[in-house]
Amino acid sequence: MNARHARVLLVALGLVTVVDLVSLAAGYDTGHTVAKPLLMPLLALYARVCGGPRLLVAALLFGWGGDVLLLFDAEPAFLAGMASFAAGHVCYLLLFRQTTALAGKRPPRARATWPTAAAYALALVTTVVLLWPGLPADLRVPVAGYSLLLTAMAYGAARLGLLAGAGGALFMLSDTLIATGVADWPQLPRPDFWIMVTYIAAQYLLARGVLGALGAQPALLATYRERRTLTT
């Protein structure tokens, strides 16, 4: 890992994050429009420089696609953005499965139990049932399907460890805030600020959780790379 490059990228990510959040808090749309598309590419570069696997980079770049598409205030763009995020969740799920398989056992602090699964299932059902009447008819099934995939990703992240689990939970919160806006629920002041602060934290924690899990076992990251080389 090139530590210097990683630090530079992390500082750049922090600065762009501040610009984006301050712009949202101040209602400066231009600042948000410029800063938002830079966030996930910087995080993806950081993850790659830290030795992150391709699936992690792909998940973050699919997030970037969703970020850009959601800048457009149109239903086709919203659906395309949701599809891009869904592809990112699939990447995360595949990555979580490969990471735990390579480790040969669950990471030390990963203790996802039936209560965890039940809590996520309850959150999924409750959210969909409550949002369903307020959603446009043509968005109900896509949003429900996306919510199922998002919940599966969040549960998979919880099995990987504390950081990834927190990231998955925050991703659910961020997307739920978006969905409440689509369903015309009352919103917090500056709703986009809260959506972005939870989303940025979610993606960062997921990335750090994956990198930490891969680095938790001796030679695990090297083994991951060898397996990827054999399968590509």
Side-chain angles (χ1 to χ4, degrees):
M1 179 183 77
N2 191 322
R4 183 173 66 85
H5 289 167
R7 286 195 296 269
V8 169
L9 287 167
L10 195 57
V11 169
L13 175 63
L15 290 174
V16 174
T17 297
V18 169
V19 170
D20 187 51
L21 295 179
V22 169
S23 297
L24 288 171
Y28 182 52
D29 292 340
T30 301
H32 174 60
T33 301
V34 171
K36 185 181 181 183
L38 299 176
L39 292 165
M40 290 306 107
L42 284 171
L43 183 54
L45 280 171
Y46 169 75
R48 192 60 177 167
V49 166
C50 289
R54 293 176 184 175
L55 276 173
L56 175 57
V57 174
L60 294 170
L61 291 181
F62 277 122
W64 168 75
D67 291 344
V68 172
L69 287 164
L70 292 187
L71 287 172
F72 300 94
D73 189 17
E75 187 172 303
F78 178 81
L79 287 169
M82 187 163 56
S84 189
F85 282 120
H89 296 327
V90 171
C91 290
Y92 274 128
L93 284 168
L94 293 173
L95 180 57
F96 298 157
R97 180 178 179 181
Q98 290 181 5
T99 301
T100 52
L102 284 169
K105 60 180 180 179
R106 293 180 181 177
R109 286 181 291 179
R111 294 291 184 268
T113 60
W114 279 110
T116 306
Y120 273 118
L122 179 61
L124 170 64
V125 172
T126 302
T127 301
V128 171
V129 168
L130 292 176
L131 290 174
W132 189 272
L135 293 171
D138 55 341
L139 289 181
R140 287 172 178 169
V141 172
V143 167
Y146 174 82
S147 298
L148 177 60
L149 183 59
L150 171 62
T151 304
M153 184 280 292
Y155 177 68
R159 298 180 63 202
L160 200 63
L162 182 60
L163 286 180
L170 284 172
F171 214 133
M172 282 190 67
L173 175 58
S174 180
D175 280 1
T176 300
L177 291 174
I178 295 175
T180 60
V182 175
D184 288 329
W185 282 25
Q187 299 291 295
L188 294 168
R190 303 293 183 191
D192 287 345
F193 173 87
W194 302 108
I195 289 168
M196 286 305 298
V197 75
T198 50
Y199 168 71
I200 296 168
Q203 292 279 39
Y204 176 76
L205 289 171
L206 284 167
R208 287 304 314 167
V210 169
L211 293 171
L214 286 171
Q217 301 290 331
L220 181 56
L221 189 54
T223 305
Y224 185 98
R225 288 170 176 165
E226 290 171 6
R227 178 174 291 189
R228 292 296 301 168
T229 300
L230 291 173
T231 58
T232 54

